[in-house]
Amino acid sequence: MLSFLLPLLSFFTPDTPAAPAPRSRTFTFTYAATVPPLPAGTDSVELWLPVPHPDAYQQVSGLTVKTTVPYTVRTGQYGNQLLHLKVAAAQAANLRVEMQLEATRQERLNPYLTSAAPKKARRTEAADPDMARWLQPDRLVPLDDKIKQWAQEVVTKAQAKTDLEKARAIYEHVVSTVTYDKTGQGWGRGDIYYACDARRGNCTDFHAVFIGYCRAVGIPARFSIGFPLPPERGQGEIKGYHCWAEFYTPTTGWVPVDASEAAKNPTRRNYFFGAHDENRLEFTRGRDLVLTPRQKSAPLNYFIYPYAEADGKPLTGIQQTFRFQDVK
């Protein structure tokens, strides 16, 4: 009887293995900022801190804020959340604001690229109301004729026809020709001309080229920034930010990309075209940001560190610390 059933069972068994379940990570995160001594004659100070937002790949709960003055948490551009306060100078000097929260971050895998099942559209995300914005230039990522020419040369050389092929060609070009190197001057601003000229920089520079080239050939692409967590579970201080990108095609939906991580770890080059690991916490999306309420100075290049204005002028010297502790 069993020998008769075995052929039938094998007929109904899928030919391709199921994709592994996405990994996840739960941790507490502490973000603290201290206002420095103020210039003489300052009347008032405004302070903005980015607050991580929940989405399909990260849950945020238990936000607590420790400070001695009133504050608000508001929603701004692109769904970004911001903590804001405005106080008289007498209250602001050496003012400390500490946020603590618990987050669960899921590994993000685009099913079109990472599933073993037949290739077909598997869009599950809601439409992005800011889609048109992700085809437009940023201040440091213009879409002028030179950028369009360079982007077109990349996709033409790769003989890329579809949007997915073009995005892959741009990704491979960036990972192959830009070096992760935080020395000298100019890196870290996400200036596409700097990155294309120097061929080095940090994550901001890598993704300026990737996003700019994608937009230049008509592919929507967007920028996100947050903090990296070390792969090893535990606790500790985080010294600086990390940023990444996504691009969109009607077939695949949004596809996660991390070109700088791929450059630093060549063994994961294929992985980071279509995936973001769980070792990160996203805070804000987009560049050239207008805060809520609006700051007096120019839009921010990106928003991950505390930003303050004294009587409407940018205030530097804010002390900041960022810490994590894994829960499970």
Side-chain angles (χ1 to χ4, degrees):
M1 183 65 176
L2 288 175
S3 62
F4 172 75
L5 288 175
L6 284 174
L8 293 177
L9 289 171
S10 63
F11 177 80
F12 288 107
T13 301
D15 291 332
T16 54
R23 298 184 294 267
S24 66
R25 183 172 188 173
T26 300
F27 51 92
T28 60
F29 195 91
T30 303
Y31 183 122
T34 303
V35 177
L38 304 176
T42 298
D43 180 62
S44 65
V45 171
E46 285 188 88
L47 175 69
W48 293 261
L49 307 183
V51 179
H53 53 262
D55 62 23
Y57 303 98
Q58 66 181 30
Q59 292 77 54
V60 179
S61 62
L63 175 67
T64 60
V65 179
K66 297 178 181 179
T67 190
T68 57
V69 300
Y71 65 89
T72 60
V73 176
R74 307 187 186 189
T75 300
Q77 282 180 301
Y78 318 130
N80 295 328
Q81 295 188 359
L82 312 89
L83 183 151
H84 171 261
L85 59 86
K86 183 175 183 178
V87 294
Q91 296 175 285
N94 299 313
L95 174 68
R96 177 180 169 84
V97 182
E98 180 181 294
M99 299 188 301
Q100 188 172 83
L101 56 94
E102 182 170 296
T104 297
R105 178 77 192 195
Q106 281 84 38
E107 178 185 27
R108 181 175 181 183
L109 304 169
N110 181 278
Y112 188 89
L113 297 178
T114 58
S115 172
K119 301 302 184 191
K120 60 182 180 180
R122 298 182 185 84
R123 289 168 290 159
T124 58
E125 296 178 333
D128 187 334
D130 300 301
M131 185 66 79
R133 170 65 182 90
W134 312 131
L135 281 167
Q136 297 171 2
D138 298 319
R139 183 175 62 85
L140 294 178
V141 186
L143 301 181
D144 56 30
D145 290 343
K146 181 59 72 175
I147 298 300
K148 291 179 180 178
Q149 176 189 333
W150 290 345
Q152 189 60 51
E153 288 173 354
V154 169
V155 301
T156 299
K157 182 178 180 179
Q159 298 183 327
K161 304 301 182 185
T162 68
D163 283 352
L164 181 58
E165 290 171 346
K166 292 175 182 179
R168 184 64 190 241
I170 292 167
Y171 173 82
E172 294 295 339
H173 169 77
V174 173
V175 175
S176 297
T177 64
V178 182
T179 301
Y180 193 89
D181 181 357
K182 299 192 293 184
T183 61
Q185 300 293 321
W187 64 269
R189 299 174 64 237
D191 182 333
I192 191 171
Y193 271 109
Y194 165 82
C196 288
D197 179 53
R199 310 311 303 182
R200 61 183 177 84
N202 75 345
C203 53
T204 323
D205 307 304
F206 273 80
H207 294 114
V209 182
F210 178 80
I211 289 170
Y213 279 19
C214 280
R215 292 175 180 175
V217 297
I219 301 172
R222 63 193 186 191
F223 170 93
S224 292
I225 194 165
F227 289 100
L229 275 66
E232 303 78 15
R233 300 313 193 245
Q235 61 181 318
E237 184 175 356
I238 297 173
K239 296 298 185 180
Y241 69 81
H242 181 50
C243 64
W244 46 91
E246 302 166 74
F247 70 90
Y248 179 88
T249 79
T251 300
T252 61
W254 285 104
V255 177
V257 164
D258 197 328
S260 60
E261 285 299 294
K264 289 193 291 183
N265 189 349
T267 63
R268 306 194 78 190
R269 184 165 176 161
N270 285 333
Y271 173 83
F272 281 117
F273 186 84
H276 286 152
D277 60 34
E278 73 280 16
N279 302 317
R280 61 189 69 207
L281 179 62
E282 182 174 310
F283 273 69
T284 58
R285 178 173 291 162
R287 298 182 62 179
D288 299 338
L289 293 173
V290 174
L291 305 181
T292 303
R294 186 184 182 104
Q295 73 271 37
K296 298 295 191 300
S297 64
L300 300 188
N301 186 17
Y302 46 78
F303 184 38
I304 184 63
Y305 295 143
Y307 176 73
E309 292 183 344
D311 297 339
K313 298 179 180 179
L315 177 66
T316 60
I318 301 173
Q319 297 179 14
Q320 55 199 31
T321 57
F322 318 107
R323 299 190 63 85
F324 80 97
Q325 180 171 344
D326 279 286
V327 175
K328 58 181 177 180

